[in-house]
Amino acid sequence: MARPDKAAAVAELTDKFRSSNAAVLTEYRGLTVAQLKTLRRSLGENAQYAVVKNTLTKIAANEAGITLDDQLFAGPTAVAFVTGDPVESAKGLRDFAKENPNLIIKGGVLDGKALSADEIKKLADLESREVLLSKLAGALKGKQSQAASVFQALPSKLVRTVDALRAKQDEQGGAE
């Protein structure tokens, strides 16, 4: 009787691994239900935090084509499945872990690539996608403005050079 339930759980986890941009494995030992509720809220709307069975999660990850280190499955495990911006969820996990040392970030996956706990913390230090895109747009606009200034300077410099040549010719013509 347990087999169909386990098969369904593996299938659900496999779908979550495939449909998410990132997945972060954590150890939640020592956290209360209220703290877990707060953690779920801090991850944002585009992430689901689920307590999972290690063996079923390992099987589901393999079926999804993701290779994870067996050490990630030591102790009680919960996974944050991120469908939106992984930076936002990584920041939520990092900030929550600072306030609640019982939450341990073990590692995870970003676009099919395994990440260590340190790499997830570095991901959390990044600015959000929107901020990075706006900085890029600002930099591109600045380069366009510089190019426009250079292009505007060329004709005016040409006019000044021609005027200087005329003035020089007038002086030479008047001196003879």
Side-chain angles (χ1 to χ4, degrees):
M1 183 173 154
R3 294 258 180 225
D5 291 343
K6 288 182 180 181
V10 168
E12 182 181 348
L13 287 171
T14 303
D15 287 342
K16 285 185 179 182
F17 273 115
R18 286 182 179 150
S19 65
S20 60
N21 298 335
V24 180
L25 283 80
T26 63
E27 183 176 322
Y28 63 92
R29 187 185 330 220
L31 293 176
T32 64
V33 173
Q35 288 172 322
L36 287 174
K37 189 175 183 180
T38 303
L39 173 59
R40 285 184 174 100
R41 285 190 193 133
S42 70
L43 292 177
E45 295 177 10
N46 297 322
Q48 289 181 328
Y49 190 73
V51 174
V52 294
K53 290 190 177 275
N54 289 336
T55 53
L56 300 180
T57 305
K58 206 182 307 184
I59 293 168
N62 286 334
E63 285 184 10
I66 298 168
T67 306
L68 294 172
D69 188 11
D70 287 342
Q71 293 177 354
L72 295 177
F73 298 102
T77 304
V79 181
F81 293 101
V82 183
T83 55
D85 186 10
V87 173
E88 178 185 347
S89 297
K91 284 181 183 186
L93 284 168
R94 179 199 59 196
D95 294 344
F96 187 85
K98 282 181 185 177
E99 295 173 14
N100 301 284
N102 287 335
L103 180 74
I104 299 169
I105 298 172
K106 297 180 181 181
V109 180
L110 177 64
D111 293 328
K113 180 187 174 285
L115 299 176
S116 68
D118 290 335
E119 290 172 322
I120 292 172
K121 289 174 184 169
K122 286 179 185 176
L123 181 66
D125 292 336
L126 288 176
E127 294 172 335
S128 70
R129 183 176 190 273
E130 291 79 18
V131 171
L132 291 174
L133 287 174
S134 65
K135 283 185 175 184
L136 176 64
L140 291 175
K141 183 179 178 189
K143 294 295 178 190
Q144 288 175 343
S145 296
Q146 288 175 344
S149 298
V150 168
F151 293 137
Q152 285 178 343
L154 290 175
S156 63
K157 190 172 185 179
L158 177 67
V159 168
R160 286 194 301 268
T161 305
V162 169
D163 284 345
L165 284 172
R166 255 193 223 137
K168 188 173 184 180
Q169 285 178 347
D170 289 344
E171 286 178 13
Q172 289 177 353
E176 291 178 11

